[in-house]
Amino acid sequence: MEKDKHIYFDLDSDALRILTEIDKETKNGIFFNYNDSNNPLIKKYFGYFYAILQAAKNDYIRLSIGNTIFHENNYSKARLEFMKKYCYFPNIDMINCCDKLAEVEKLANLYCLPYKTNKGEQDAPMQKVYNAAIQKTTPPNDAYAVADAVVWNSYFLTANGQDLTFNKYKPKDGNIRSKGITEINIQNGYYITKNGFTIVPKPLCISTIGPIIKNKLKNVSLIQTADSTKIKADKLLDK
């Protein structure tokens, strides 16, 4: 790990909820029979989520929360306490606030538009939805949540692959959503090149990143982000 840099993972709401429950049920060495959980994702991926939690506790990776996910979850006392213990927020200030919000807005909209590759025009990875409050179609929260992460140079850890990695209506196309998001990110400059490889902040499903973290990220290149661009959540939530 480079000095003053870490690998940051923005959490989606499902991942935040799951990690909050696992932290509660396993503290002080208490045995947690995850097979009795009512959450099927905990039953299926407990080992991966637990590895992520331990990696965060050991500061091997850092968990972060974007603006969209914060507002989806700030009603929950348990999740706010989890954020204060383990998570980081984007270091937004009066100077960068407007520019960053505009970047997120632009990128979220791009995720909902067709994009071009050398194979021609491709379908948009995400679709706009009707917002009754303002009586027009807008990008869904998921688009804003991913854009929040990408603009601040974080990966987006999702527990729900069908929203951000694959399209359940096009199973033969594989991870068509994440491929589209990745290509749009590259075309808009959100990537780095290292040792001849293009490394892109993007959505990562727990089934993909979980085994990598469990095995200490061996032989995997992931983007490291300057710690100065993040701020510990408790510094803001305790004010």
Side-chain angles (χ1 to χ4, degrees), residues 153-234:
N153 213 34
S154 301
Y155 292 96
F156 189 72
L157 175 61
T158 178
N160 192 346
Q162 71 178 18
D163 290 336
L164 295 169
T165 55
F166 63 89
N167 185 336
K168 65 180 179 181
Y169 299 111
K170 299 180 180 179
K172 294 182 179 179
D173 291 337
N175 291 337
I176 188 172
R177 293 194 196 279
S178 60
K179 288 177 181 177
I181 291 169
T182 299
E183 181 60 32
I184 290 168
N185 290 345
I186 292 172
Q187 291 182 10
N188 286 275
Y190 296 102
Y191 69 94
I192 64 170
T193 302
K194 186 175 181 180
N195 299 326
F197 293 97
T198 299
I199 310 174
V200 188
K202 58 187 176 182
L204 292 170
C205 192
I206 184 62
S207 59
T208 299
I209 196 62
I212 295 172
I213 292 179
K214 199 171 182 179
N215 289 288
K216 306 293 186 183
L217 309 178
K218 292 178 181 177
N219 302 318
V220 176
S221 293
L222 294 173
I223 290 176
Q224 296 180 29
T225 301
D227 295 335
S228 61
T229 66
K230 307 284 185 176
I231 185 168
K232 191 72 169 60
D234 60 357

Side-chain angles (χ1 to χ4, degrees), residues 106-173:
K106 177 183 177 181
L107 197 54
N109 276 281
L110 286 173
Y111 292 152
C112 301
L113 294 172
Y115 64 97
K116 292 182 179 180
T117 68
N118 56 9
K119 295 181 180 179
E121 186 170 275
Q122 308 296 319
D123 291 339
M126 308 181 80
Q127 301 296 321
K128 289 187 177 184
V129 296
Y130 180 70
N131 186 326
I134 58 176
Q135 297 185 26
K136 68 176 185 179
T137 57
T138 64
N141 277 5
D142 284 338
Y144 283 105
V146 175
D148 283 333
V150 171
V151 164
W152 288 93
N153 213 34
S154 301
Y155 292 96
F156 189 72
L157 175 61
T158 178
N160 192 346
Q162 71 178 18
D163 290 336
L164 295 169
T165 55
F166 63 89
N167 185 336
K168 65 180 179 181
Y169 299 111
K170 299 180 180 179
K172 294 182 179 179
D173 291 337

Side-chain angles (χ1 to χ4, degrees), residues 25-41:
E25 296 294 343
T26 59
K27 66 181 180 181
N28 301 322
I30 296 173
F31 174 74
F32 175 42
N33 188 351
Y34 58 88
N35 287 313
D36 289 340
S37 173
N38 292 324
N39 190 321
L41 289 171

